[in-house]
Amino acid sequence: MKTGFKIVICGGGSTYTPGIVKNLLDEKELRIRELWLYDIDGERQDKVARIVKEVVRTFAPELSVFVSTDAKEALTGANFIMAQMRVGKLEMRVKDEQIALRHGCIGQETCGVGGMAYGLRTIAPMIELIDLCAKYADSKHWIVNYSNPAAIVAKATTLLRPEARILNICDMPVEIEARMAEILNVKLEDLEVDYFGLNHYGWFTKVRALGEDVTEKLKEHVAQYGYISKASYEDALVKDPDWLHTFKNSSVIMKMFPDYLPNTYWQYYLLGDDIVEYSDINNTRGMQVIGGREKRVMEAARRLEMGESIDLQQFFVGVHGKFIVEVVKALAYDTRSRQLVIVPNNGAIENLPDDAMVEIPAYLTSRGPEPVRVGKIPRFYKGLIEQQDACEGLIVEGAIEQSYQKILEAFTMNRTVPSANVAKKILDEMIEANKGYWPELK
Amino acid sequence: MKTGFKIVICGGGSTYTPGIVKNLLDEKELRIRELWLYDIDGERQDKVARIVKEVVRTFAPELSVFVSTDAKEALTGANFIMAQMRVGKLEMRVKDEQIALRHGCIGQETCGVGGMAYGLRTIAPMIELIDLCAKYADSKHWIVNYSNPAAIVAKATTLLRPEARILNICDMPVEIEARMAEILNVKLEDLEVDYFGLNHYGWFTKVRALGEDVTEKLKEHVAQYGYISKASYEDALVKDPDWLHTFKNSSVIMKMFPDYLPNTYWQYYLLGDDIVEYSDINNTRGMQVIGGREKRVMEAARRLEMGESIDLQQFFVGVHGKFIVEVVKALAYDTRSRQLVIVPNNGAIENLPDDAMVEIPAYLTSRGPEPVRVGKIPRFYKGLIEQQDACEGLIVEGAIEQSYQKILEAFTMNRTVPSANVAKKILDEMIEANKGYWPELK
Amino acid sequence: MKTGFKIVICGGGSTYTPGIVKNLLDEKELRIRELWLYDIDGERQDKVARIVKEVVRTFAPELSVFVSTDAKEALTGANFIMAQMRVGKLEMRVKDEQIALRHGCIGQETCGVGGMAYGLRTIAPMIELIDLCAKYADSKHWIVNYSNPAAIVAKATTLLRPEARILNICDMPVEIEARMAEILNVKLEDLEVDYFGLNHYGWFTKVRALGEDVTEKLKEHVAQYGYISKASYEDALVKDPDWLHTFKNSSVIMKMFPDYLPNTYWQYYLLGDDIVEYSDINNTRGMQVIGGREKRVMEAARRLEMGESIDLQQFFVGVHGKFIVEVVKALAYDTRSRQLVIVPNNGAIENLPDDAMVEIPAYLTSRGPEPVRVGKIPRFYKGLIEQQDACEGLIVEGAIEQSYQKILEAFTMNRTVPSANVAKKILDEMIEANKGYWPELK
Amino acid sequence: MKTGFKIVICGGGSTYTPGIVKNLLDEKELRIRELWLYDIDGERQDKVARIVKEVVRTFAPELSVFVSTDAKEALTGANFIMAQMRVGKLEMRVKDEQIALRHGCIGQETCGVGGMAYGLRTIAPMIELIDLCAKYADSKHWIVNYSNPAAIVAKATTLLRPEARILNICDMPVEIEARMAEILNVKLEDLEVDYFGLNHYGWFTKVRALGEDVTEKLKEHVAQYGYISKASYEDALVKDPDWLHTFKNSSVIMKMFPDYLPNTYWQYYLLGDDIVEYSDINNTRGMQVIGGREKRVMEAARRLEMGESIDLQQFFVGVHGKFIVEVVKALAYDTRSRQLVIVPNNGAIENLPDDAMVEIPAYLTSRGPEPVRVGKIPRFYKGLIEQQDACEGLIVEGAIEQSYQKILEAFTMNRTVPSANVAKKILDEMIEANKGYWPELK
């Protein structure tokens, strides 16, 4: 038997790939035998692969890296498949954002109309990937999926492929925990949280630092500065008005709803008017990424091709990659690491539907996650989650049944959409824009 | 033992009172011994009472009518108490409407912010009435409550006085049924419907005319003309643009969500943007009523005082009153009439919370309603209702706990409010406007 | 269009048929066009038919009676099919009873091991009947099913043919109500009860006579005399020790568990040791019926064939038939009669599983029953019902999956079986005895 | 601040105490500052204490041991309270067993009538202990409770003192796991199980040895030999017919119900007739303990008092003690050890009532257990558990309400009792026998 794992990054052409690879290499305990990049866009992947190979050359020269657009080749015998698809690329994200903004709504790519559009693009390819893995990968493989919109994808895969060896995760909570750690001046690994919700739609109910309950202390801070230390806050005042805006919104939410610490994404569902006003249809988040990280990565690839040297450091992804690798390690070595994951509810949150895909703590074993039981949640949170869960369920059912009505119901249900009239207009334009990506609706 | 019933109209000063009394008199089987008007505003009630007495003089001269502002006197030995309170009168309704509209929201007095404000005014007086009835009324009395906002009032009374002999009803569905009958050219009493939802927040799932299922036929009509016959529609085109607007919205909703026939109120939650645009802050619904029916009633009272004769006809209320009297009769004589009523869910709609106050069919017995079990409802409808039920639950809990946070949560949760920012602004202004009426929030 | 109904009695060879027919004829409002007897055992049916024809000749000479063993002929265009099958006849009942008694258990043919055996015999033929009715009968036909074991049959038909137009009923509660009426000295039709449970496994929670709550009064009586008037009790002391034994047991149960009035069948599950002791393996209930009513019917048929006259009176069935005809009439004419029926739970009893087949009040419409929602039941009753519902569910699943294990689990679960050892012994003997009747178990 | 923990053994006079203490001393990582024995029976505790002190002198001479009958003194500042009460001592156990056997029932002291009697003795003293700990112990103390009947005690404490810092555990599953390890020839610590049920009323659904699924292999073995290796089985044939009998029963159950591996206690509820037959009213389990371990401990204490030396080895308790100490360590040091514990269900087993006290895996943290969510369980298991949960709930409610009826309902409900007649006879005798121990029933 060959020792070590074959790891495949599916969506190898992502600009995040070099950073994720760096995190994989950092984790020395994770014995990697082969590292594969797999993407359906070979041209793009080849560019990113240059940087990836440079990362490997620098940090783990002994490791073999393979690049492929052939699913069979890439997936055969794979132990871990890290799924980071972006169906339709950033170009489609921008289209979604602009359609939404034209109608006064947030294009936000996870729980808003952008997310619903994106979900409709992603369900079929994700099911295809699951089936390919079932066919070619090691029988004990795990797909670690962090493709967005995670909630919708997770709901669809659970419904359509309940036996799939897929673990759906999202790094957003751990990103926020990193900021909590900064605020508290402790190490991230010394923090532990209780959390419940749907993906990008949850709350931290408790935060402990080295076992001590620091929730109230943290709430007070967040109410004042958002998820940022006082020093950084003052720094941001000058340097990064965008981030500052998000932090200020966290502070607004914390003050209005002081029960729990919110995920930063709540600004989209609770302060949507503010977000719309703050948005620029000619400089959406998608466009910013295209003009920023996207451009930097392609430029670096070009320079590497020309034989020039580049600064690898700029592509490292910190907490995001670290978290994903931690999850892979847990599945690989049964570490029982306690992480937030996205799983079918099945009673874990007692007063939510069984088929809600909830984000809650789980102990990660080599057989998959053992989620903890959370119990009942208060009325306000239940109400918010029921609304969004209905929305996501309608998207999934609508995609499967190719039902225009159910997708319209989902758009109408969504917190970021003010009325059925607006829902219909956005939907109809998105159907046009997403031709070839969406299932045909009847 | 005296024969016949003592009936008390609580909120005797309402402009609807003469019409309701007319309906009571029409129902000859309902043996009324004494008819009482009871209100805390004696001056206003005295005016309305003049018209009432004229009605009685004309249609049932043998009946004794009593008018009182003393709860003990009015309620002692009462068999049926018809509760039609309007706490804060139309003046407060107008304030609510205008605050809402100033912030781009619907002031709508049942399920919108207006309704929440009105609910906060009404809970305490309604509990007081229940306690007074328990003390003074006949031990087998029934309070037939149709005070708005019925959903919130029903939820509060069920929580605080679970043993109260109160039946919460709303005439809106039967008003729509009357239009269905017109459309189908059948008698109202030949229609039977299946229905589910919360008050002002439900759907007709089946309509039968003389036992025959006419649902699809009716849906087609409503999709084209709304809840009005073709002839009336064309008539309305000329005469009543307001009604026409509502009918057109029913048609819009029917086309977008063709599963079930909507309550007309859905325009407020699904087409809120349209409603706001159509509204005039200087001529709100409340102001229209003040300038219309209110004025007419007061004028008629004045004329009666002057010894002039008036046209009683104008005050008769048709379906509304007929329905209420039908309910009273059912409780009085155990008729087993099948009516839509507002009851604690307790499993009737299987996938909604137990403590939701649902509006569903029930057979009315002298012991109270026997609601039918409805079973599971589809995802879209569950999502909408969960959101609204959470909102109403938070209002009730917030009122009891005097919790500013819960009321803010309720306002934020509501479908008619676009964001927490707006919720907070409206709430803070409403707190000011409702001083003396609301519980003090902390 | 022909006027009046075609009514088919399926299981026409039953000794109850003449009595049921008499009740049908008594109900003049039920316009019967044709009356059919249908049975797979033609020889036996012919004998019974002689008596039936004599009944018709006497009471409704104008009515056409048809006798058939051909499903197509009998069911074509049928409006009401009254299903009263006894698969395996009384001979199989006796076998079940004797096997059970040999192992110290009750053979009781509904909720005990006899009932489970009988259920395994009946599921397939009942499904066949449903399919035949779907094929041949009027599209708005109703099958009124009172074949035993009603609970298991109802559970199986609901699972396998959820759309079937079948209403499952049992006359046992109304038989007890007739005794209540005797005790209270009121007419049966003046009684109304609240009731919950599974078939032959329920409790009367309230009894009202002409609207007045007489529950406590009745409990006191039953605790003293069982379900019999004082006079009849004293009479029974002398004449009918068997009945007296049942009444005494009702009294024992009433005293021990004074919450509700028990169905008389509770003696089998709560006082099983007494029943076993009282039973005689050489004179079981089944044998008594064979030697009693069975013999009398066959003798009467023989005499009719010989041209002799008989006393028809002896075959009339009283309350049993009256109840069934009342149900048929309700379905035929939408009477909204309030009756106890057996329906899928779906939330009606809030803290029982959705797929339990519960016996509760329903208003009978021409579209079928509208069951009332009952709410939560106390712990003791929930515990008992959960046990029996699991048992019945396992029988149904075991029959469908042909699973020896599930049937063994059902036998083990049952309250009348003391241990898995005994369950296995009885089951294995019953498999032998029921060859050709049961699905083959693996 | 003093370093190390103050540990109190409550029920210090138990014959298990010396063994438990040995296990505590073995766990060197558990820094014990003070070890206290606390019992209300000082005389008995003093005897046991002699052996305990000898254990401490031998294995940890530096440790201070204190013996007290004063709650305040014993509990003040305590960090861990190990509760091992036996209210009424073995004498009462014997009485319960004999009453039960006289009526043909199992006296079994956890889930049978013995257990119900014992539960009624234990609830009040356990609540008292919780209150004393809340008053005197360290604010972060933990009561590790393994007093029997664990299920009933856990249910009562959760209802009456929901905020108590108590963790209810039972060593039975881990005892069986030790046998599994023997069978599989692996170390106990290399086994991991999935399990669900109530205490002494559960099943192993999966067994893994070093991560590998060995469930099927183990089932096959248990079906043949029960929970014992082939070698030991043959050994037992000669030496220990009692144990062999239990193993044979496990094998019988495994063969009949092959889904899951049963807790050995299932012989009492599934094979009760066999157990009754095997029992000897003049040599009950309680009497055997009195004549065995009880006598040995008292004799050893006497010899120590006389200055003689004794063999300590004989009092060590192996797996039982090791497990308890593992739990204490987990709470002390947040080890996240995965153990089976008894917790309120609250959705963990989706189709059981929220207030069932279920025994399931949990990760043990210093804040208490984080139970995993189990999902739905099959019908047979649900049926069995619902019955027993109702029984235990009725005992707890009956104890609190002092309700004779509820206790009779519990006795009637229990699987080990054949009828309400027998339940009543046993109950009435037990009321007599337990005077002074039970709450007075009305």
Side-chain angles (χ1 to χ4, degrees), chain D residues 353-371:
Chain D
D354 294 354
D355 68 343
M357 292 302 298
V358 295
E359 193 164 28
I360 52 174
Y363 289 85
L364 301 187
T365 83
S366 53
R367 291 162 291 121
E370 288 204 311

Side-chain angles (χ1 to χ4, degrees), chain A residues 192 194 208 336 338 343-348 350 354 361 363 365 367 370-373 375-376, chain D residues 192 194 208 336 338 343-348 350 354 361 363 365 367 370-373 375-376:
Chain A
E192 184 175 82
D194 293 340
R208 290 173 293 274
R336 307 299 164 109
R338 186 180 181 278
V343 291
N345 185 36
N346 290 345
E350 213 182 311
D354 294 354
Y363 288 86
T365 84
R367 293 163 289 118
E370 290 204 310
V372 308
R373 78 109 157 76
K376 279 198 180 127
Chain D
E192 183 177 82
D194 293 338
R208 289 173 294 273
R336 308 297 164 110
R338 187 181 180 278
V343 289
N345 186 36
N346 290 346
E350 211 183 309
D354 294 354
Y363 289 85
T365 83
R367 291 162 291 121
E370 288 204 311
V372 307
R373 77 108 158 76
K376 280 196 178 127

Side-chain angles (χ1 to χ4, degrees), chain A residues 53-69:
Chain A
K53 283 176 177 166
E54 188 65 16
V55 169
V56 172
R57 205 182 56 75
T58 310
F59 296 100
E62 72 290 356
L63 179 67
S64 315
V65 182
F66 303 86
V67 180
S68 176
T69 58

Side-chain angles (χ1 to χ4, degrees), chain D residues 75-130:
Chain D
L75 297 173
T76 295
N79 301 99
F80 295 96
I81 298 92
M82 300 163 73
Q84 49 175 38
M85 293 182 177
R86 178 173 279 287
V87 182
K89 303 222 182 76
L90 287 162
E91 284 63 31
M92 285 310 302
R93 177 179 182 178
V94 172
K95 283 194 188 177
D96 293 341
E97 288 172 330
Q98 292 185 322
I99 291 171
L101 281 169
R102 267 206 297 279
H103 295 284
C105 290
I106 306 164
Q108 202 277 322
E109 70 162 346
T110 53
C111 301
V113 285
M116 291 187 279
Y118 193 6
L120 286 165
R121 291 198 291 277
T122 309
I123 291 171
M126 186 59 70
I127 295 299
E128 199 190 338
L129 177 63
I130 287 172

Side-chain angles (χ1 to χ4, degrees), chain C residues 225-272:
Chain C
Y225 301 104
Y227 286 112
I228 193 169
S229 67
K230 191 162 177 292
S232 303
Y233 185 88
E234 276 150 14
D235 203 36
L237 276 175
V238 190
K239 290 200 222 145
D240 193 340
D242 277 14
W243 264 117
L244 195 65
H245 186 252
T246 291
F247 298 139
K248 283 195 169 155
N249 275 342
S250 295
S251 143
V252 167
I253 293 170
M254 189 76 256
K255 271 181 274 194
M256 285 204 279
F257 307 104
D259 290 334
Y260 306 134
L261 289 143
N263 191 309
T264 48
Y265 274 77
W266 276 103
Q267 66 178 335
Y268 296 110
Y269 328 123
L270 293 176
L271 312 177

